[in-house]
Amino acid sequence: MSHPATGAGGGLPVAEIVARLGGTLRGDASVRVRRFAPLERAGEGDIAFLARAGQARVLEACGASCVIVPEEVDPGEHFAAAIRARDPYLYYARVSQWLQQLQAPPAPSGRHPGAVVHESARVAPDAYVDACAVVERDAEIGARAYVGPGCFVGAGAVIGADTRMLARSVVMHDCRVGERCTLHPGAVIGADGFGFARDEQGAGVRIAQTGRVVLGDDVDIGANTTVDRGALDDTRIGNGVKIDNLVQVAHNVQIGEHTALAGCVGIAGSARIGAYCFIGGGAGIAGHLEIADRTVIGGMSLVSRSVRQAGHYTGAFPLDRHENWSANAAALRHLAELRDRIRQLERTLDQQKNSAQDKS
């Protein structure tokens, strides 16, 4: 059966994808793909993926030149090429990065005429500082790093090789950002933590935040996310951590490697989050507690005590009709009282039982 060619010019050969990433190729190894597209809208030159075998019926109407499917799925004969993979979603992630790199324009080097770079700052020759960015004294910008328009790099801060600071992101003084990190627009690394003591009248007295923020390698920080500097010790984010938009990480927090935080998570001061955890959107984590490695916290959960054993935990109160929710919430407020009454009833029953046994 013949298939339309995707063209010899441009694109990524399917054979090269399989050679690098593995999987089983079926069909024409010379097919080239240029971009990912959803299954229902993919056409010639596109590559698409099917995440779950249970949705295989959607392949019948897919017009992609190549499709990535689970190992147990038969993709049919109408695709020019198909790749069977153990984890199609992971395969998609890796191919998408590859295609993005191929399509990216050549990286500039040097500095925009509108950038402000202190004479004592050390900027690698192949790094680039864009328009209206400010790099303060003794800061260091690593090889091939990019400091985007309107960004700020504070005094003594270090930006690692191949790291990208996108528009208006901020790294405050003395903070450290590892290699291959991405700071999305509006991210702030190293603002003061929220630390106050109370005087005799109850007014707040600010505590100087003298620690740093230290980001490992391959860390992503989402748009308008804030990671506060430590009060005394450093706030530390491990290698490979992925943080979504609008997340608050307070002072002295420690996050283990390859943990992921979804949008609007809030972590209070000095909490310690393990490695390979996933924290669902909107979750709140109280200060000074610990979460074990490989723990999953469901969205909108409140974590008010340490989680020392890995597992999947959810503390969100389910959505319900308002009248039902109100009734359940009212009952919830009396749980402690009901518990005490039940315990008293159990003691009374035990006393009656023992008394009856003594009389017999």
Side-chain angles (χ1 to χ4, degrees), residues 58-178:
V58 303
L59 293 174
E60 297 174 4
C62 180
S65 293
C66 180
V67 65
I68 304 165
V69 299
E71 290 175 327
E72 65 272 24
V73 168
D74 181 358
E77 299 292 336
H78 71 283
F79 294 106
I83 300 171
R84 284 190 170 113
R86 186 175 67 174
D87 186 341
Y89 192 63
L90 178 60
Y91 206 98
Y92 151 66
R94 288 172 172 156
V95 177
S96 69
Q97 289 186 7
W98 194 354
L99 284 172
Q100 185 180 53
Q101 291 168 1
L102 290 176
Q103 295 164 358
S109 59
R111 67 187 67 172
H112 190 280
V116 179
V117 180
H118 194 277
E119 60 183 8
S120 67
R122 298 177 296 282
V123 180
D126 52 359
Y128 188 70
V129 183
D130 216 329
C132 300
V134 174
V135 179
E136 290 198 324
R137 59 180 174 80
D138 297 322
E140 181 178 334
I141 310 298
R144 300 172 301 281
Y146 173 67
V147 181
C151 289
F152 175 83
V153 181
V158 175
I159 307 300
D162 298 299
T163 283
R164 300 165 64 237
M165 292 181 61
L166 303 183
R168 298 181 296 100
S169 56
V170 171
V171 177
M172 297 297 291
H173 61 279
D174 296 324
C175 293
R176 301 288 187 269
V177 178

Side-chain angles (χ1 to χ4, degrees), residues 43-319:
E44 185 178 337
D46 293 339
I47 182 170
F49 76 98
L50 178 75
R52 292 184 293 276
Q55 300 173 331
R57 64 184 181 278
V58 303
L59 293 174
E60 297 174 4
C62 180
S65 293
C66 180
V67 65
I68 304 165
V69 299
E71 290 175 327
E72 65 272 24
V73 168
D74 181 358
E77 299 292 336
H78 71 283
F79 294 106
I83 300 171
R84 284 190 170 113
R86 186 175 67 174
D87 186 341
Y89 192 63
L90 178 60
Y91 206 98
Y92 151 66
R94 288 172 172 156
V95 177
S96 69
Q97 289 186 7
W98 194 354
L99 284 172
Q100 185 180 53
Q101 291 168 1
L102 290 176
Q103 295 164 358
S109 59
R111 67 187 67 172
H112 190 280
V116 179
V117 180
H118 194 277
E119 60 183 8
S120 67
R122 298 177 296 282
V123 180
D126 52 359
Y128 188 70
V129 183
D130 216 329
C132 300
V134 174
V135 179
E136 290 198 324
R137 59 180 174 80
D138 297 322
E140 181 178 334
I141 310 298
R144 300 172 301 281
Y146 173 67
V147 181
C151 289
F152 175 83
V153 181
V158 175
I159 307 300
D162 298 299
T163 283
R164 300 165 64 237
M165 292 181 61
L166 303 183
R168 298 181 296 100
S169 56
V170 171
V171 177
M172 297 297 291
H173 61 279
D174 296 324
C175 293
R176 301 288 187 269
V177 178
E179 298 182 356
R180 300 176 302 279
C181 296
T182 300
L183 309 185
H184 289 275
V188 178
I189 306 301
D192 274 3
F194 189 69
F196 295 87
R198 295 289 186 182
D199 67 12
E200 296 80 359
Q201 286 75 43
V205 178
R206 190 179 73 86
I207 298 170
Q209 306 290 292
T210 59
R212 307 171 298 170
V213 174
V214 179
L215 302 188
D217 298 333
D218 303 297
V219 173
D220 278 19
I221 305 292
N224 294 326
T225 281
T226 55
V227 182
D228 290 345
R229 68 191 315 113
L232 295 173
D233 201 359
D234 297 331
T235 302
R236 292 186 175 270
I237 310 297
N239 294 337
V241 168
K242 309 301 180 188
I243 302 182
D244 198 1
N245 303 335
L246 296 168
V247 170
Q248 159 65 10
V249 179
H251 56 189
N252 302 106
V253 167
Q254 314 285 305
I255 300 178
E257 62 181 16
H258 301 292
T259 281
L261 279 64
C264 299
V265 166
I267 305 177
S270 298
R272 293 179 176 269
I273 314 298
Y276 296 93
C277 295
F278 181 80
I279 314 297
I285 299 174
H288 299 274
L289 51 70
E290 297 182 9
I291 294 179
D293 294 350
R294 300 185 183 276
T295 295
V296 176
I297 304 296
M300 304 302 292
S301 296
L302 172 61
V303 183
S304 57
R305 56 186 175 84
S306 290
V307 177
R308 303 192 186 279
Q309 182 175 352
H312 191 155
Y313 298 82
T314 301
F317 201 72
L319 182 73

